[in-house]
């Protein structure tokens, strides 16, 4: 007979469906998970350790609560070692183990907790890029945002696609929706209340992450449903400590909703969400939410008006900390100073670089998840474009493209191609400039991003007056796309 540690680990399927196992997975409490595996599957600490790559002593520490797992690769190793099924993996915050090339039936996820059926979106609507006709399924946007918000680190397109594909009716039904616990949260224990608020906070983070990957219209309905649920709970008389947390996550969701409403040309809704963000900032005691709101507004204008919004945003920064937001605003300031011809832009660019080096964008705020090395490279590029240093632009442009993910960063790539195109056209490289301009326009059209279209302004200006037929053709395509881009409503 094999030694105890060499025996294969076999966990009954129904154990993964137990409510207490769901709680352990949701809370990422590996000690609790191991205790359940030992209690109900009869698997010793030694066998658990061999399966997941821990010593018996380390397993014991986790089971006694003396150690906690925090690293994503360790969660992945545990899931693999215990042969965790996809619904359990998703609840733990990991992508499902879906075999590529195996089609998933287009089984719709039934509406839950009052979520309208119209908010269940097709993966084809959600994911940028072509899809096979037999590889479609419906996606519950609220659940998708919650899962994505619980992932550690940056989410690439493949991970999001796998998660979306895994959210068929069977697997999504096994994920307890926060709103199944709403009544319990209002009248239950402190742990129940904290759990519900944590889920809603994760969902807000998820929407901010998905904004980088999905077209604005695909997110808008799910995000507004999320805000309606937050608003309902805020009026339900929760303790002050939870009310402040809910107000903060409401503000973080509202600034994104205001931005998306502007992108899809809904100025009235944008203004309404902006007012919600202001009230939430006051209620929560997090004035930095206003910094994010003004930063978003700065993208709708150029030059002096943009600088005014950036200055207002900087007034809401704390004296210390929040370095990711601080780096973002410094980089935006560099862009707009350069647009005004102010060489102080180079100083701000260096300050942004130094501040970003001290930042933790994946941990600080829901909205800072977008900030990465690729976006910082794009800020350097646009600053040199605005300063008219076309030759530096070519080098910086290639560096920016290399730093961006071509799987997820479509909006950023549109802006980078637009900046490169404008520089190429200014130095007389007509053919390359037109080619880059077409790439920028095509990518902007795929993302349906108003901001991406706005970045074409420099290309539009550089093309004006060109007599070349290809230049006139590209200009004619950009003009209607760029027309009608206004400021955020006040």
């Amino acid at each position: 007979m094999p030694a105890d540690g060499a025996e294969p680990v076999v966990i009954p399927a129904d154990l993964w469906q137990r409510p207490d196992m769901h709680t352990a997975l949701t809370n990422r409490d590996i000690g609790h998970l191991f205790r359940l595996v030992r209690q109900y599957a009869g698997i010793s600490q030694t066998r658990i350790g061999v399966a997941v790559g821990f010593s018996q002593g380390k397993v014991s520490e986790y089971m006694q609560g003396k150690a906690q797992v925090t690293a994503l690769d360790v969660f992945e190793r545990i899931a693999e070692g215990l042969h965790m099924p996809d619904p359990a993996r998703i609840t733990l915050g990991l992508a499902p183990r879906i075999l590529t090339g195996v089609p998933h039936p287009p089984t719709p996820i039934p509406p839950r907790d009052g979520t309208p059926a119209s908010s269940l979106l097709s993966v084809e609507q959600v994911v940028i890029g072509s899809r096979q006709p037999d590889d479609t399924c419906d996606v519950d946007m609220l659940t998708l945002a919650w899962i994505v918000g619980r992932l550690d680190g940056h989410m690439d397109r493949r991970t999001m696609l796998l998660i979306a594909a895994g959210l068929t009716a069977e697997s999504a039904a096994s994920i307890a929706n926060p709103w199944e616990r709403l009544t319990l949260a209002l009248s239950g224990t402190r742990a129940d209340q904290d759990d519900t608020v944590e889920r809603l906070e994760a969902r807000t983070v998820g929407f901010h992450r998905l904004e980088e990957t999905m077209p604005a219209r695909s997110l808008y309905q799910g995000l507004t449903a999320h805000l309606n649920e937050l608003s309902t709970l805020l009026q339900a008389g929760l303790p002050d400590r939870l009310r402040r947390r809910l107000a903060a996550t409401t503000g973080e969701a509202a600034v994104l909703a205001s931005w998306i409403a502007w992108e899809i040309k809904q100025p009235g809704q944008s203004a309404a969400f902006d007012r919600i963000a202001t009230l939430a900032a006051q209620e929560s005691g997090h004035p930095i939410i206003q910094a994010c709101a003004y930063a978003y507004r700065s993208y709708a204008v150029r030059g002096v008006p943009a600088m005014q919004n950036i200055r207002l945003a900087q007034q809401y920064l704390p004296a210390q900390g929040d370095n990711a937001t601080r780096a973002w605003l410094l980089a935006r300031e560099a862009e707009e100073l350069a647009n005004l011809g102010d060489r102080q832009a180079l100083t701000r660019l260096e300050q942004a670089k130094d501040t970003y080096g001290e930042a933790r964008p994946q941990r600080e705020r829901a909205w800072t998840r977008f900030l990465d090395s690729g976006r910082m490279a794009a800020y350097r590029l646009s600053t040199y474009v605005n300063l008219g240093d076309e030759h530096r632009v070519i080098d910086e442009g290639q560096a920016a493209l290399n730093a961006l993910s071509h799987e997820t960063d479509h909006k950023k790539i549109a802006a980078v191609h637009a900046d490169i195109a404008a520089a190429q056209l200014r130095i007389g490289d007509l053919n390359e400039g037109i080619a880059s301009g077409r790439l920028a326009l095509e990518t902007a059209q795929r993302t349906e991003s108003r901001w991406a279209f706005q970045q074409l302004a420099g290309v539009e200006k550089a093309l004006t007056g060109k007599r070349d037929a290809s230049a006139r053709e590209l200009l004619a395509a950009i003009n209607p796309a760029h027309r009608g881009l206004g400021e955020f409503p006040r």
Side-chain angles (χ1 to χ4, degrees), residues 238-254:
L238 286 173
D240 284 346
R241 64 181 180 83
L242 292 182
R243 181 177 176 81
R244 285 193 296 272
R245 284 174 58 187
L246 274 179
T249 202
T250 299
E252 292 172 339

mmCIF file with all atom_site columns, all heavy atoms in Angstrom, residues 238-254:
data_model
loop_
_atom_site.group_PDB
_atom_site.id
_atom_site.type_symbol
_atom_site.label_atom_id
_atom_site.label_alt_id
_atom_site.label_comp_id
_atom_site.label_asym_id
_atom_site.label_entity_id
_atom_site.label_seq_id
_atom_site.pdbx_PDB_ins_code
_atom_site.Cartn_x
_atom_site.Cartn_y
_atom_site.Cartn_z
_atom_site.occupancy
_atom_site.B_iso_or_equiv
_atom_site.pdbx_formal_charge
_atom_site.auth_seq_id
_atom_site.auth_comp_id
_atom_site.auth_asym_id
_atom_site.auth_atom_id
_atom_site.pdbx_PDB_model_num
ATOM 1   N N   . LEU A 1 238 ? -27.964 51.119 7.768   1.00 0.00 ? 238 LEU A N   1
ATOM 2   C CA  . LEU A 1 238 ? -26.820 50.332 8.227   1.00 0.00 ? 238 LEU A CA  1
ATOM 3   C C   . LEU A 1 238 ? -26.013 51.100 9.267   1.00 0.00 ? 238 LEU A C   1
ATOM 4   O O   . LEU A 1 238 ? -26.116 52.331 9.354   1.00 0.00 ? 238 LEU A O   1
ATOM 5   C CB  . LEU A 1 238 ? -25.921 49.986 7.040   1.00 0.00 ? 238 LEU A CB  1
ATOM 6   C CG  . LEU A 1 238 ? -26.431 48.907 6.074   1.00 0.00 ? 238 LEU A CG  1
ATOM 7   C CD1 . LEU A 1 238 ? -25.500 48.815 4.877   1.00 0.00 ? 238 LEU A CD1 1
ATOM 8   C CD2 . LEU A 1 238 ? -26.528 47.559 6.768   1.00 0.00 ? 238 LEU A CD2 1
ATOM 9   N N   . PRO A 1 239 ? -25.179 50.413 10.040  1.00 0.00 ? 239 PRO A N   1
ATOM 10  C CA  . PRO A 1 239 ? -24.292 51.104 10.981  1.00 0.00 ? 239 PRO A CA  1
ATOM 11  C C   . PRO A 1 239 ? -23.394 52.103 10.236  1.00 0.00 ? 239 PRO A C   1
ATOM 12  O O   . PRO A 1 239 ? -23.076 51.919 9.057   1.00 0.00 ? 239 PRO A O   1
ATOM 13  C CB  . PRO A 1 239 ? -23.473 49.966 11.590  1.00 0.00 ? 239 PRO A CB  1
ATOM 14  C CG  . PRO A 1 239 ? -24.301 48.740 11.403  1.00 0.00 ? 239 PRO A CG  1
ATOM 15  C CD  . PRO A 1 239 ? -25.046 48.942 10.131  1.00 0.00 ? 239 PRO A CD  1
ATOM 16  N N   . ASP A 1 240 ? -22.961 53.133 10.952  1.00 0.00 ? 240 ASP A N   1
ATOM 17  C CA  . ASP A 1 240 ? -22.177 54.206 10.337  1.00 0.00 ? 240 ASP A CA  1
ATOM 18  C C   . ASP A 1 240 ? -20.919 53.682 9.654   1.00 0.00 ? 240 ASP A C   1
ATOM 19  O O   . ASP A 1 240 ? -20.556 54.141 8.573   1.00 0.00 ? 240 ASP A O   1
ATOM 20  C CB  . ASP A 1 240 ? -21.791 55.247 11.385  1.00 0.00 ? 240 ASP A CB  1
ATOM 21  C CG  . ASP A 1 240 ? -22.962 56.142 11.759  1.00 0.00 ? 240 ASP A CG  1
ATOM 22  O OD1 . ASP A 1 240 ? -23.967 56.126 11.023  1.00 0.00 ? 240 ASP A OD1 1
ATOM 23  O OD2 . ASP A 1 240 ? -22.864 56.836 12.782  1.00 0.00 ? 240 ASP A OD2 1
ATOM 24  N N   . ARG A 1 241 ? -20.233 52.717 10.271  1.00 0.00 ? 241 ARG A N   1
ATOM 25  C CA  . ARG A 1 241 ? -18.978 52.231 9.691   1.00 0.00 ? 241 ARG A CA  1
ATOM 26  C C   . ARG A 1 241 ? -19.208 51.591 8.320   1.00 0.00 ? 241 ARG A C   1
ATOM 27  O O   . ARG A 1 241 ? -18.390 51.753 7.406   1.00 0.00 ? 241 ARG A O   1
ATOM 28  C CB  . ARG A 1 241 ? -18.307 51.234 10.631  1.00 0.00 ? 241 ARG A CB  1
ATOM 29  C CG  . ARG A 1 241 ? -19.101 49.970 10.847  1.00 0.00 ? 241 ARG A CG  1
ATOM 30  C CD  . ARG A 1 241 ? -18.462 48.987 11.807  1.00 0.00 ? 241 ARG A CD  1
ATOM 31  N NE  . ARG A 1 241 ? -19.280 47.796 11.952  1.00 0.00 ? 241 ARG A NE  1
ATOM 32  C CZ  . ARG A 1 241 ? -19.252 46.772 11.114  1.00 0.00 ? 241 ARG A CZ  1
ATOM 33  N NH1 . ARG A 1 241 ? -18.404 46.798 10.086  1.00 0.00 ? 241 ARG A NH1 1
ATOM 34  N NH2 . ARG A 1 241 ? -20.027 45.726 11.291  1.00 0.00 ? 241 ARG A NH2 1
ATOM 35  N N   . LEU A 1 242 ? -20.341 50.885 8.179   1.00 0.00 ? 242 LEU A N   1
ATOM 36  C CA  . LEU A 1 242 ? -20.649 50.273 6.894   1.00 0.00 ? 242 LEU A CA  1
ATOM 37  C C   . LEU A 1 242 ? -21.219 51.291 5.921   1.00 0.00 ? 242 LEU A C   1
ATOM 38  O O   . LEU A 1 242 ? -20.978 51.218 4.716   1.00 0.00 ? 242 LEU A O   1
ATOM 39  C CB  . LEU A 1 242 ? -21.635 49.120 7.070   1.00 0.00 ? 242 LEU A CB  1
ATOM 40  C CG  . LEU A 1 242 ? -21.108 47.889 7.803   1.00 0.00 ? 242 LEU A CG  1
ATOM 41  C CD1 . LEU A 1 242 ? -22.168 46.807 7.861   1.00 0.00 ? 242 LEU A CD1 1
ATOM 42  C CD2 . LEU A 1 242 ? -19.851 47.353 7.145   1.00 0.00 ? 242 LEU A CD2 1
ATOM 43  N N   . ARG A 1 243 ? -21.972 52.233 6.444   1.00 0.00 ? 243 ARG A N   1
ATOM 44  C CA  . ARG A 1 243 ? -22.540 53.264 5.579   1.00 0.00 ? 243 ARG A CA  1
ATOM 45  C C   . ARG A 1 243 ? -21.435 54.079 4.916   1.00 0.00 ? 243 ARG A C   1
ATOM 46  O O   . ARG A 1 243 ? -21.516 54.414 3.728   1.00 0.00 ? 243 ARG A O   1
ATOM 47  C CB  . ARG A 1 243 ? -23.471 54.175 6.387   1.00 0.00 ? 243 ARG A CB  1
ATOM 48  C CG  . ARG A 1 243 ? -24.124 55.262 5.540   1.00 0.00 ? 243 ARG A CG  1
ATOM 49  C CD  . ARG A 1 243 ? -25.106 56.102 6.341   1.00 0.00 ? 243 ARG A CD  1
ATOM 50  N NE  . ARG A 1 243 ? -25.618 57.180 5.510   1.00 0.00 ? 243 ARG A NE  1
ATOM 51  C CZ  . ARG A 1 243 ? -26.591 57.035 4.633   1.00 0.00 ? 243 ARG A CZ  1
ATOM 52  N NH1 . ARG A 1 243 ? -27.158 55.854 4.459   1.00 0.00 ? 243 ARG A NH1 1
ATOM 53  N NH2 . ARG A 1 243 ? -26.996 58.060 3.911   1.00 0.00 ? 243 ARG A NH2 1
ATOM 54  N N   . ARG A 1 244 ? -20.378 54.395 5.660   1.00 0.00 ? 244 ARG A N   1
ATOM 55  C CA  . ARG A 1 244 ? -19.267 55.161 5.070   1.00 0.00 ? 244 ARG A CA  1
ATOM 56  C C   . ARG A 1 244 ? -18.559 54.349 3.990   1.00 0.00 ? 244 ARG A C   1
ATOM 57  O O   . ARG A 1 244 ? -18.177 54.884 2.943   1.00 0.00 ? 244 ARG A O   1
ATOM 58  C CB  . ARG A 1 244 ? -18.286 55.578 6.170   1.00 0.00 ? 244 ARG A CB  1
ATOM 59  C CG  . ARG A 1 244 ? -18.797 56.725 7.049   1.00 0.00 ? 244 ARG A CG  1
ATOM 60  C CD  . ARG A 1 244 ? -17.685 57.295 7.906   1.00 0.00 ? 244 ARG A CD  1
ATOM 61  N NE  . ARG A 1 244 ? -17.179 56.314 8.868   1.00 0.00 ? 244 ARG A NE  1
ATOM 62  C CZ  . ARG A 1 244 ? -17.690 56.127 10.081  1.00 0.00 ? 244 ARG A CZ  1
ATOM 63  N NH1 . ARG A 1 244 ? -18.728 56.849 10.479  1.00 0.00 ? 244 ARG A NH1 1
ATOM 64  N NH2 . ARG A 1 244 ? -17.176 55.239 10.908  1.00 0.00 ? 244 ARG A NH2 1
ATOM 65  N N   . ARG A 1 245 ? -18.382 53.049 4.232   1.00 0.00 ? 245 ARG A N   1
ATOM 66  C CA  . ARG A 1 245 ? -17.748 52.211 3.204   1.00 0.00 ? 245 ARG A CA  1
ATOM 67  C C   . ARG A 1 245 ? -18.621 52.104 1.958   1.00 0.00 ? 245 ARG A C   1
ATOM 68  O O   . ARG A 1 245 ? -18.127 52.176 0.827   1.00 0.00 ? 245 ARG A O   1
ATOM 69  C CB  . ARG A 1 245 ? -17.479 50.810 3.772   1.00 0.00 ? 245 ARG A CB  1
ATOM 70  C CG  . ARG A 1 245 ? -16.289 50.743 4.715   1.00 0.00 ? 245 ARG A CG  1
ATOM 71  C CD  . ARG A 1 245 ? -16.165 49.380 5.352   1.00 0.00 ? 245 ARG A CD  1
ATOM 72  N NE  . ARG A 1 245 ? -16.031 48.307 4.363   1.00 0.00 ? 245 ARG A NE  1
ATOM 73  C CZ  . ARG A 1 245 ? -16.053 47.014 4.683   1.00 0.00 ? 245 ARG A CZ  1
ATOM 74  N NH1 . ARG A 1 245 ? -16.204 46.638 5.951   1.00 0.00 ? 245 ARG A NH1 1
ATOM 75  N NH2 . ARG A 1 245 ? -15.910 46.108 3.751   1.00 0.00 ? 245 ARG A NH2 1
ATOM 76  N N   . LEU A 1 246 ? -19.936 51.942 2.172   1.00 0.00 ? 246 LEU A N   1
ATOM 77  C CA  . LEU A 1 246 ? -20.837 51.872 1.027   1.00 0.00 ? 246 LEU A CA  1
ATOM 78  C C   . LEU A 1 246 ? -20.869 53.197 0.270   1.00 0.00 ? 246 LEU A C   1
ATOM 79  O O   . LEU A 1 246 ? -20.940 53.211 -0.963  1.00 0.00 ? 246 LEU A O   1
ATOM 80  C CB  . LEU A 1 246 ? -22.248 51.511 1.485   1.00 0.00 ? 246 LEU A CB  1
ATOM 81  C CG  . LEU A 1 246 ? -22.568 50.036 1.628   1.00 0.00 ? 246 LEU A CG  1
ATOM 82  C CD1 . LEU A 1 246 ? -23.991 49.861 2.114   1.00 0.00 ? 246 LEU A CD1 1
ATOM 83  C CD2 . LEU A 1 246 ? -22.379 49.309 0.306   1.00 0.00 ? 246 LEU A CD2 1
ATOM 84  N N   . ALA A 1 247 ? -20.825 54.303 0.995   1.00 0.00 ? 247 ALA A N   1
ATOM 85  C CA  . ALA A 1 247 ? -20.806 55.607 0.339   1.00 0.00 ? 247 ALA A CA  1
ATOM 86  C C   . ALA A 1 247 ? -19.549 55.758 -0.507  1.00 0.00 ? 247 ALA A C   1
ATOM 87  O O   . ALA A 1 247 ? -19.592 56.290 -1.624  1.00 0.00 ? 247 ALA A O   1
ATOM 88  C CB  . ALA A 1 247 ? -20.894 56.721 1.375   1.00 0.00 ? 247 ALA A CB  1
ATOM 89  N N   . ALA A 1 248 ? -18.420 55.284 0.018   1.00 0.00 ? 248 ALA A N   1
ATOM 90  C CA  . ALA A 1 248 ? -17.167 55.384 -0.742  1.00 0.00 ? 248 ALA A CA  1
ATOM 91  C C   . ALA A 1 248 ? -17.230 54.562 -2.019  1.00 0.00 ? 248 ALA A C   1
ATOM 92  O O   . ALA A 1 248 ? -16.850 55.042 -3.103  1.00 0.00 ? 248 ALA A O   1
ATOM 93  C CB  . ALA A 1 248 ? -15.989 54.934 0.121   1.00 0.00 ? 248 ALA A CB  1
ATOM 94  N N   . THR A 1 249 ? -17.723 53.322 -1.931  1.00 0.00 ? 249 THR A N   1
ATOM 95  C CA  . THR A 1 249 ? -17.776 52.495 -3.145  1.00 0.00 ? 249 THR A CA  1
ATOM 96  C C   . THR A 1 249 ? -18.843 53.008 -4.109  1.00 0.00 ? 249 THR A C   1
ATOM 97  O O   . THR A 1 249 ? -18.710 52.860 -5.328  1.00 0.00 ? 249 THR A O   1
ATOM 98  C CB  . THR A 1 249 ? -17.996 51.009 -2.791  1.00 0.00 ? 249 THR A CB  1
ATOM 99  O OG1 . THR A 1 249 ? -17.547 50.207 -3.889  1.00 0.00 ? 249 THR A OG1 1
ATOM 100 C CG2 . THR A 1 249 ? -19.427 50.687 -2.478  1.00 0.00 ? 249 THR A CG2 1
ATOM 101 N N   . THR A 1 250 ? -19.890 53.649 -3.572  1.00 0.00 ? 250 THR A N   1
ATOM 102 C CA  . THR A 1 250 ? -20.872 54.298 -4.445  1.00 0.00 ? 250 THR A CA  1
ATOM 103 C C   . THR A 1 250 ? -20.226 55.437 -5.223  1.00 0.00 ? 250 THR A C   1
ATOM 104 O O   . THR A 1 250 ? -20.463 55.603 -6.425  1.00 0.00 ? 250 THR A O   1
ATOM 105 C CB  . THR A 1 250 ? -22.056 54.822 -3.617  1.00 0.00 ? 250 THR A CB  1
ATOM 106 O OG1 . THR A 1 250 ? -22.700 53.734 -2.953  1.00 0.00 ? 250 THR A OG1 1
ATOM 107 C CG2 . THR A 1 250 ? -23.075 55.539 -4.501  1.00 0.00 ? 250 THR A CG2 1
ATOM 108 N N   . GLY A 1 251 ? -19.405 56.225 -4.549  1.00 0.00 ? 251 GLY A N   1
ATOM 109 C CA  . GLY A 1 251 ? -18.703 57.313 -5.233  1.00 0.00 ? 251 GLY A CA  1
ATOM 110 C C   . GLY A 1 251 ? -17.763 56.788 -6.301  1.00 0.00 ? 251 GLY A C   1
ATOM 111 O O   . GLY A 1 251 ? -17.678 57.350 -7.406  1.00 0.00 ? 251 GLY A O   1
ATOM 112 N N   . GLU A 1 252 ? -17.048 55.703 -5.986  1.00 0.00 ? 252 GLU A N   1
ATOM 113 C CA  . GLU A 1 252 ? -16.126 55.122 -6.964  1.00 0.00 ? 252 GLU A CA  1
ATOM 114 C C   . GLU A 1 252 ? -16.872 54.595 -8.183  1.00 0.00 ? 252 GLU A C   1
ATOM 115 O O   . GLU A 1 252 ? -16.385 54.688 -9.318  1.00 0.00 ? 252 GLU A O   1
ATOM 116 C CB  . GLU A 1 252 ? -15.324 53.995 -6.308  1.00 0.00 ? 252 GLU A CB  1
ATOM 117 C CG  . GLU A 1 252 ? -14.354 54.485 -5.243  1.00 0.00 ? 252 GLU A CG  1
ATOM 118 C CD  . GLU A 1 252 ? -13.710 53.353 -4.460  1.00 0.00 ? 252 GLU A CD  1
ATOM 119 O OE1 . GLU A 1 252 ? -14.283 52.238 -4.459  1.00 0.00 ? 252 GLU A OE1 1
ATOM 120 O OE2 . GLU A 1 252 ? -12.641 53.570 -3.856  1.00 0.00 ? 252 GLU A OE2 1
ATOM 121 N N   . ALA A 1 253 ? -18.054 54.032 -7.957  1.00 0.00 ? 253 ALA A N   1
ATOM 122 C CA  . ALA A 1 253 ? -18.865 53.554 -9.076  1.00 0.00 ? 253 ALA A CA  1
ATOM 123 C C   . ALA A 1 253 ? -19.480 54.720 -9.852  1.00 0.00 ? 253 ALA A C   1
ATOM 124 O O   . ALA A 1 253 ? -19.570 54.679 -11.080 1.00 0.00 ? 253 ALA A O   1
ATOM 125 C CB  . ALA A 1 253 ? -19.966 52.627 -8.567  1.00 0.00 ? 253 ALA A CB  1
ATOM 126 N N   . ALA A 1 254 ? -19.875 55.769 -9.138  1.00 0.00 ? 254 ALA A N   1
ATOM 127 C CA  . ALA A 1 254 ? -20.544 56.893 -9.790  1.00 0.00 ? 254 ALA A CA  1
ATOM 128 C C   . ALA A 1 254 ? -19.600 57.674 -10.701 1.00 0.00 ? 254 ALA A C   1
ATOM 129 O O   . ALA A 1 254 ? -20.016 58.140 -11.772 1.00 0.00 ? 254 ALA A O   1
ATOM 130 C CB  . ALA A 1 254 ? -21.152 57.824 -8.741  1.00 0.00 ? 254 ALA A CB  1
#
